[in-house]
Amino acid sequence: MNTLAWLERLVAIDTTSRNSNLGLIELVRDALRGLGLAPWLATNADGSKANLFCTVPAQDGQTQGGIVLSGHTDVVPVDGQDWASDPFVLTDKGDGRLYGRGACDMKGFIASSLALLPEALALPRARPLHLALSYDEEVGCIGAPVLLAELKARGIRADGCIVGEPTSMRPVVAHKGIHLYHCRLHGKAAHSSLTPQGCNAIEHAARLICHIRDLADRWRGQGPFDAAYDVPHSTITTNLISGGIAVNTIPESCRLSYEFRNLPAQSRDAIQAEVQRYVDEELLPRMRREFDGARVEIERAASAPGLDAEEQAAITELVRALTADRTVRKVAYGTEAGLFQNAGIPAVLCGPGSIEQAHKVDEYVEVEQLAQCDRFLRRVAESLG
């Protein structure tokens, strides 16, 4: 199948992160087996989702080294979005764009990679080519660590990785880390006419939220900065909050979730330590003056490291040479590339489509972007000869 045929089949499978991705993974697995390859799966704990890894060996049978083409199979929801066409039917409106959930982020790259493999099998190969497909990237890069652990257990090494997130087929060499935390404050319920007998969890949560905003304002004004990023400083935001049971009851509990996206100059642990220090030294003492049993629990829900690719790395040099693009681009959004880098596999981002189209109603990828990706990946495969 060519890229467009693959993309049509991939978009038709609803792999929203809350769903299983096995329909897509099994489709790809069976197609790869039909080419005489030996893909393997690394599943989540209950087997409802899976990563896939497949190697096109070098002509001498060597499976070590080479280049990984990496993409995530899950997509974000379409709930509440007023699409002009069925989001799970790839739609060509004759405007040079193909519409569908995941067409841009990032089934277009996966489709191009799958279309490449029969051709790659016919090319001379001194080094192998690998395909890596993951689950649950959109909800915290949950699947990739499972895949990378299995690579380590199997002793599989690679020289570099191209993560095909939508970059308009331009190399991106760095992105921020992304880290999500859930927090629950436990106060004491009371009738709202007897406020001194209670400890209002929502009001104390508001103090924490204001502290988090103060951190964000400080970074925005004082840095550290890296002007190569589209947002040149670290960010932190509170994005979910819930609590209380009635308008006339002091709320006993409040839950909130915050995330931060850090520049390499600021470590995850240092940022979280600053939040924890405020909780321990200021917030909890205030709460316990009202109720000595007050508690604040913070749990890290998801965490993905940033990417900071070395310009001298072979994979960076290759992608720059094949795209004839030397511009240094760094982005605020997170990807799995930092996980590959931390696992000892140098990585860079380059894929079809614009991140500005990702997650939106009427998501699309331009046909010309897919054609550029096909040409690019063909040259990647040729570089292994």
Side-chain angles (χ1 to χ4, degrees):
M1 286 189 291
N2 63 19
T3 297
L4 298 187
W6 263 117
L7 185 55
E8 183 176 28
R9 297 190 72 180
L10 297 177
V11 168
I13 303 173
D14 181 358
T15 53
T16 304
S17 302
R18 62 186 173 223
N19 301 332
S20 171
N21 73 335
L22 290 181
L24 185 152
I25 289 294
E26 290 168 355
L27 170 69
V28 173
R29 179 199 62 193
D30 294 346
L32 297 179
R33 286 176 176 173
L35 295 174
L37 299 171
W40 50 264
L41 308 185
T43 67
N44 64 349
D46 64 9
S48 62
K49 299 185 181 185
N51 303 293
L52 178 147
F53 194 85
C54 185
T55 298
V56 179
Q59 287 180 299
D60 64 1
Q62 178 61 252
T63 60
Q64 299 296 336
I67 294 174
V68 179
L69 305 179
S70 173
H72 64 80
T73 61
D74 62 318
V75 299
V76 298
V78 298
D79 303 15
Q81 295 183 338
D82 185 18
W83 281 66
S85 57
D86 188 332
F88 298 106
V89 174
L90 189 68
T91 302
D92 184 351
K93 300 180 181 180
D95 57 359
R97 301 170 176 176
L98 299 172
Y99 295 83
R101 175 57 85 221
C104 171
D105 184 16
M106 57 180 297
K107 292 180 177 180
F109 179 81
I110 295 174
S112 185
S113 299
L114 291 169
L116 169 73
L117 292 186
E119 186 175 350
L121 283 164
L123 292 172
R125 300 179 310 281
R127 295 184 295 153
L129 179 69
H130 312 277
L131 177 68
L133 303 182
S134 67
Y135 66 84
D136 282 358
E137 187 269 354
E138 295 288 8
V139 291
C141 295
I142 294 171
V146 177
L147 174 64
L148 290 166
E150 185 65 19
L151 289 179
K152 182 177 180 181
R154 291 173 179 248
I156 297 173
R157 301 183 305 277
D159 299 322
C161 176
I162 300 171
V163 178
E165 291 281 359
T167 68
S168 300
M169 290 309 302
R170 297 177 296 186
V172 169
V173 297
H175 65 68
K176 295 178 180 178
I178 178 171
H179 313 282
L180 171 65
Y181 288 79
H182 297 319
C183 176
R184 183 161 185 167
L185 294 87
H186 300 268
K188 183 180 180 182
H191 193 281
S192 59
S193 66
L194 303 172
T195 56
Q197 297 181 15
C199 176
N200 192 315
I202 290 178
E203 292 179 352
H204 288 290
R207 297 184 189 278
L208 177 56
I209 292 169
C210 287
H211 176 72
I212 287 170
R213 178 55 190 258
D214 288 343
L215 290 178
D217 290 343
R218 190 181 80 206
W219 299 340
R220 185 183 298 114
Q222 302 176 18
F225 298 106
D226 186 333
Y229 280 89
D230 45 4
V231 178
H233 50 80
S234 298
T235 60
I236 184 169
T237 54
T238 305
N239 297 332
L240 288 173
I241 183 169
S242 63
I245 61 170
V247 295
N248 60 352
T249 303
I250 300 298
E252 181 177 0
S253 69
C254 182
R255 297 173 299 279
L256 61 93
S257 297
Y258 62 92
E259 68 152 38
F260 55 84
R261 297 172 183 249
N262 58 304
L263 295 175
Q266 292 179 280
S267 75
R268 177 197 71 188
D269 292 345
I271 290 173
Q272 179 54 26
E274 192 161 2
V275 175
Q276 189 67 54
R277 185 163 49 251
Y278 172 79
V279 169
D280 293 341
E281 297 179 3
E282 297 189 41
L283 185 62
L284 264 176
R286 293 185 72 147
M287 293 179 70
R288 287 175 175 168
R289 283 197 289 271
E290 299 173 1
F291 171 50
D292 59 10
R295 308 190 320 276
V296 177
E297 301 165 350
I298 300 179
E299 171 193 12
R300 187 169 72 238
S303 184
L307 170 70
D308 194 7
E310 294 184 5
E311 287 293 337
Q312 296 75 25
I315 192 66
T316 308
E317 292 181 347
L318 175 66
V319 172
R320 288 207 180 282
L322 296 184
T323 57
D325 191 326
R326 310 298 303 184
T327 302
V328 175
R329 293 184 185 84
K330 303 180 180 183
V331 296
Y333 59 83
T335 80
E336 295 169 337
L339 292 164
F340 278 92
Q341 183 180 59
N342 280 11
I345 303 174
V348 66
L349 307 180
C350 189
S354 169
I355 195 65
E356 293 182 1
Q357 302 307 322
H359 300 191
K360 290 185 176 180
V361 65
D362 296 331
E363 177 184 347
Y364 68 83
V365 64
E366 294 179 356
V367 174
E368 176 54 30
Q369 283 281 299
L370 293 176
Q372 286 185 39
C373 187
D374 287 348
R375 294 191 292 270
F376 169 74
L377 292 182
R378 187 176 302 114
R379 295 181 67 191
V380 170
E382 290 170 350
S383 75
L384 298 171

